Amino acid sequence: MQWADFLANEAATNSLSPEQTAAFVECLKTENSVKSQTEVATELKIGLLAFKKRMTEVYDKFAQSYSELATSKGRGKLEKLRACLTAKYNGRQDAQLTIKEIHQNIPPAVPFEKFVGREAELEKLHQQLQTSRQVAIVAVAGMGGVGKTELATQYAKQHLQNYQGGVCWLSAQGINVGIQILRFAELKFKLIAPDDWELADSLRYCWQNWQQGEALLVFDDVTDYKKQVQPYLPPESPRFKVLLTTRLGFDRTLPQLPLGVLKPLAAMKLLKSLVDREQLKGEAWVAREICKFLGYLPLALELVGRYLDTMPDLSLEKLLKRLEKKRLEHEAVAKANSLMRYEYGVAEAFALSWEQLDENAQGLGCWLSLFALADIPFAVERIEDDEKQELKEKAIADLRKLHLLQRQSKGIYRLHPLIRQFFQMKLDESSEADEIKTIFVAQAVEVARRIPQQPSREDILNFTPYIPHLAEVATHLSQYLSDEDLIWPFTGLGCFYEGQGLYQQAEPWLQQCEKVTRNRFGSEHPDVAASLNNLALLYRSTGRYSEAESLFQEALSLYKRLLGEEHPRVASSLNNLALLYRSTGRYSEAEPLYQEALSLYKRLLGEEHPRVASSLNNLALLYRSTGRYSEAEPLY
């Protein structure tokens, strides 16, 4: 075993963190034996104090095995540790193969106690690999940054004793996989095929002479199964186990272990393992909000955790605000820490999948990012053109294959929060972004227009899936609404909630409607009057009569100035104010308004019109309420 391999094994055995491992290995390298701590720290690109802190942690962990380290001081600790490890290394050279000496080239892993929330997946993965009678091929599949490689690494480390035939780690994105297998066999088993043999013959020789015992082959980051895996599989034998990590979703012929994001509690535990400070306790609720904002994605959590660890005075609340503003472009998630094994930031990780999509799938991803962060109703069968329907079906399949889109049920999909942000970034980079957003909000308006003022139970059921997306349009995309469509998302949301008696949910949308219309049109506009009228109707329903009265009067005054005295909206406004007066027992004030509204409706709409009938009915109600039955009867 080479000295470098020995050091890596010792680091793993003593549960060193990636940062501690980097400092430990750099210090103990043969070529660095005469270098000062400052020089080694410089090579690691960290400060001297940070370097000393890490090495102190290293000595504390090794002191559990070498008690003499506890009594050593200063530079003597390093020399004592080097002497202990050198003696152990030299004493091993002629030893028999032990569990710790199983041949492997597993990449460094995070300490087991910091690997959280994946216990069930590790157990299931082991069961899947062990139950196969032939070559077991199991794919750990999931979106970028979800921790597929780390899961495979932890599995290989924790179950190393199960694979006396060795663990061969292969990078599907590295040099030819077949060459990697030959190099492993040569270095670990001293198997050297003749130079003039073809690659296939050399591989066959390696498989025939492979170390005895079960062996595990890990193909990491597979993007093309036929080219990167299939030609290099070992012969059918139950002792060979094959594990893949991939962003791809294979069909059911290949066993898969779908890997999702962490559970909220596990996400918090991961963040706490990376940020060693009391601040997490003081801002626990903000920490939970950060985890939620990051969609519980392990890569994002690790990036943010490491970033926070370098910013001890940064409050979590301030970081959350910055993340919400800059999103994937914020430095906390944009770039990988130099000590991390994963080399990409979140956006870079997603970009690897984005580049595998065709223009059709990319376009659909951008379109879906305009929906709210909720279940998305997207039924392709509603598309009448067969060719367009087929294109959408293929785009959905491509997005799902790369785990960029989740299917919840038939016609219902969902985007991960950070993938949604990534797609939005890509859309904003497009020259067609404004046009796409304009089309999107126009389609949302068509839904809003169909929401009745008094929705039935069936209406509520049918429109519920669209409500969060109407809210998204009203909140974030109102600038893309045309002038004639501006009030509709707000009005639709108000009707949906008010029609169910959910007045507290309805009020903010109706208030926002008035604000948005005033900002765009100024105070003198019919839509401003309409928004005032709708808000007044809500206040009347909740008994806030004085607030409703002033809004009804302002709306009526606006309608008269803008549309003239002879207009149906003026009649409706008169009728609404009269209803308010009747509700509060102000019958003498209500009567002339009802009469004026009735007269206007007859002149403008003719005698044969439903609004005339409603107006007759309202006046009759007033007469009945005041005991004027003979006047009410003919109106009824």
Side-chain angles (χ1 to χ4, degrees):
M1 180 184 291
Q2 298 297 314
W3 177 249
D5 292 336
F6 172 75
L7 292 178
N9 276 347
E10 287 296 306
T13 301
N14 288 273
S15 301
L16 299 189
S17 70
E19 294 88 348
Q20 293 164 354
T21 298
F24 166 72
V25 171
E26 199 66 28
C27 267
L28 273 296
K29 279 183 178 178
T30 304
E31 59 268 29
N32 287 347
S33 58
V34 295
K35 288 185 178 179
S36 68
Q37 291 184 328
T38 302
E39 290 174 317
V40 177
T42 300
E43 289 183 2
L44 288 168
K45 298 181 180 179
I46 60 174
L48 181 59
L49 289 177
F51 170 78
K52 288 182 176 180
K53 179 177 180 292
R54 289 179 191 172
M55 285 307 296
T56 299
E57 294 166 347
V58 169
Y59 297 140
D60 288 344
K61 290 197 174 184
F62 275 95
Q64 298 174 23
S65 302
Y66 306 110
S67 57
E68 53 265 54
L69 282 178
T71 58
S72 301
K73 296 182 179 180
R75 182 78 181 182
K77 276 186 180 290
L78 177 61
E79 297 308 322
K80 181 65 71 175
L81 179 59
R82 187 188 299 277
C84 292
L85 293 175
T86 301
K88 184 176 181 181
Y89 176 75
N90 291 333
R92 276 185 168 192
Q93 293 290 10
D94 299 321
Q96 295 296 313
L97 190 70
T98 66
I99 289 178
K100 291 183 179 178
E101 294 172 320
I102 291 173
H103 295 298
Q104 51 89 8
N105 60 342
I106 308 167
V110 300
F112 180 61
E113 67 271 13
K114 291 188 178 184
F115 185 68
V116 299
R118 299 300 195 194
E119 295 79 8
E121 287 87 348
L122 283 169
E123 181 61 30
K124 186 174 181 181
L125 179 57
H126 187 59
Q127 291 175 0
Q128 286 180 303
L129 283 167
Q130 295 303 311
T131 53
S132 176
R133 295 182 179 178
Q134 297 181 339
V135 179
I137 305 177
V138 178
V140 177
M143 61 187 281
V146 82
K148 302 178 294 295
T149 296
E150 191 60 44
L151 182 78
T153 306
Q154 290 288 342
Y155 173 77
K157 290 280 187 185
Q158 294 179 37
H159 291 274
L160 188 59
Q161 67 272 24
N162 293 95
Y163 298 105
Q164 295 291 319
V167 176
C168 178
W169 190 280
L170 306 162
S171 172
Q173 302 303 316
I175 62 171
N176 181 282
V177 172
I179 300 297
Q180 292 182 57
I181 294 171
L182 294 182
R183 286 183 178 176
F184 181 87
E186 180 179 346
L187 287 171
K188 306 299 183 181
F189 308 140
K190 310 304 180 188
L191 297 176
I192 304 174
D195 293 337
D196 57 347
W197 279 14
E198 295 291 333
L199 178 60
D201 295 326
S202 298
L203 287 172
R204 194 176 302 109
Y205 169 78
C206 286
W207 299 134
Q208 290 171 350
N209 295 279
W210 199 269
Q211 174 80 40
Q212 290 300 309
E214 286 194 349
L216 176 65
L217 304 175
V218 183
F219 293 76
D220 187 36
D221 197 12
V222 173
T223 55
D224 189 329
Y225 179 81
K226 286 188 175 180
K227 290 183 179 179
Q228 297 168 336
V229 178
Q230 203 170 50
Y232 310 110
L233 291 174
E236 291 190 1
S237 166
R239 78 185 190 94
F240 285 111
K241 312 295 181 183
V242 176
L243 175 59
L244 317 179
T245 72
T246 179
R247 295 161 190 252
L248 301 176
F250 296 106
D251 61 32
R252 297 180 186 276
T253 57
L254 186 66
Q256 294 177 69
L257 179 66
L259 198 61
V261 296
L262 293 173
K263 300 292 184 185
L265 286 177
M268 276 293 290
K269 189 175 179 181
L270 173 58
L271 196 60
K272 287 177 181 176
S273 73
L274 295 162
V275 186
D276 185 22
R277 54 177 169 160
E278 291 296 315
Q279 190 171 1
L280 280 183
K281 295 180 181 178
E283 296 185 273
W285 71 271
V286 188
R288 287 192 289 271
E289 286 300 308
I290 288 175
C291 291
K292 183 180 178 181
F293 177 82
L294 298 174
Y296 311 108
L297 184 70
L299 171 61
L301 289 163
E302 184 176 358
L303 287 168
V304 167
R306 290 177 181 275
Y307 179 81
L308 280 169
D309 203 36
T310 65
M311 301 279 186
D313 297 323
L314 177 63
S315 75
L316 299 188
E317 190 169 6
K318 184 170 286 187
L319 175 62
L320 178 58
K321 288 179 179 177
R322 291 175 181 175
L323 285 170
E324 289 172 340
K325 182 178 179 181
K326 295 187 176 181
R327 305 197 294 177
L328 293 182
E329 294 178 346
H330 191 277
E331 60 179 313
V333 292
K335 292 185 178 180
N337 184 296
S338 59
L339 296 174
M340 290 173 61
R341 188 157 52 83
Y342 200 75
E343 59 184 306
Y344 303 110
V346 175
E348 291 175 311
F350 294 159
L352 296 175
S353 298
W354 171 264
E355 290 162 5
Q356 295 183 54
L357 298 172
D358 62 17
E359 186 177 350
N360 179 42
Q362 288 180 351
L364 180 60
C366 291
W367 176 267
L368 293 175
S369 74
L370 294 174
F371 285 86
L373 195 59
D375 286 350
I376 300 171
F378 192 76
V380 293
E381 59 265 21
R382 294 176 186 169
I383 302 172
E384 294 181 1
D385 186 294
D386 283 346
E387 188 173 338
K388 289 182 180 178
Q389 185 181 121
E390 193 170 348
L391 280 172
K392 285 290 185 287
E393 288 170 346
K394 183 182 182 302
I396 289 172
D398 289 346
L399 290 169
R400 290 188 61 212
K401 185 177 181 181
L402 287 166
H403 299 275
L404 296 173
L405 180 67
Q406 304 161 19
R407 180 181 181 271
Q408 303 298 98
S409 59
K410 184 178 180 181
I412 303 293
Y413 300 91
R414 198 178 184 98
L415 288 174
H416 182 275
L418 297 185
I419 288 179
R420 177 173 175 262
Q421 289 181 26
F422 178 79
F423 284 158
Q424 286 177 345
M425 285 173 52
K426 288 299 179 182
L427 175 60
D428 289 338
E429 291 171 5
S430 166
S431 59
E432 301 175 349
D434 288 346
E435 181 184 353
I436 291 170
K437 291 175 182 179
T438 301
I439 295 171
F440 180 85
V441 299
Q443 292 186 5
V445 165
E446 292 305 310
V447 175
R449 285 178 182 271
R450 298 200 304 269
I451 300 176
Q453 195 164 9
Q454 295 294 331
S456 65
R457 184 175 296 180
E458 185 180 0
D459 290 329
I460 293 166
L461 186 65
N462 291 335
F463 285 109
T464 294
Y466 298 94
I467 294 304
H469 310 298
L470 283 179
E472 179 72 15
V473 169
T475 306
H476 299 295
L477 297 170
S478 62
Q479 67 268 36
Y480 296 99
L481 290 163
S482 65
D483 288 354
E484 58 269 25
D485 289 341
L486 182 61
I487 68 169
W488 280 107
F490 305 96
T491 303
L493 289 163
C495 289
F496 178 80
Y497 289 118
E498 187 177 355
Q500 300 176 69
L502 303 171
Y503 303 119
Q504 286 187 328
Q505 287 96 319
E507 184 177 359
W509 295 116
L510 298 178
Q511 289 174 331
Q512 196 175 339
C513 185
E514 187 214 348
K515 181 180 178 181
V516 168
T517 51
R518 284 188 191 274
N519 286 342
R520 182 177 293 194
F521 304 128
S523 295
E524 299 289 311
H525 193 277
D527 282 353
V528 174
S531 64
L532 290 168
N533 182 73
N534 292 335
L535 190 54
L537 288 169
L538 175 73
Y539 289 158
R540 189 191 69 192
S541 299
T542 55
R544 295 159 67 178
Y545 300 121
S546 60
E547 293 174 84
E549 182 179 0
S550 63
L551 293 178
F552 276 138
Q553 289 172 338
E554 188 179 353
L556 175 59
S557 178
L558 258 179
Y559 278 137
K560 285 182 175 180
R561 285 202 306 274
L562 297 169
L563 306 176
E565 301 278 344
E566 300 286 313
H567 195 281
R569 286 197 182 184
V570 173
S572 296
S573 199
L574 287 165
N575 186 69
N576 288 335
L577 187 55
L579 279 169
L580 175 69
Y581 289 155
R582 195 194 81 201
S583 300
T584 54
R586 296 160 66 180
Y587 303 120
S588 61
E589 294 173 83
E591 184 177 359
L593 297 179
Y594 273 140
Q595 290 171 336
E596 188 180 351
L598 175 59
S599 178
L600 260 178
Y601 279 139
K602 285 182 175 180
R603 287 201 304 277
L604 298 171
L605 306 176
E607 300 277 343
E608 302 286 318
H609 194 279
R611 288 196 181 181
V612 173
S614 295
S615 199
L616 287 164
N617 188 71
N618 289 336
L619 188 55
L621 283 168
L622 176 70
Y623 291 155
R624 189 191 70 181
S625 300
T626 55
R628 296 158 67 181
Y629 304 121
S630 61
E631 293 174 82
E633 184 177 5
L635 298 179
Y636 276 137

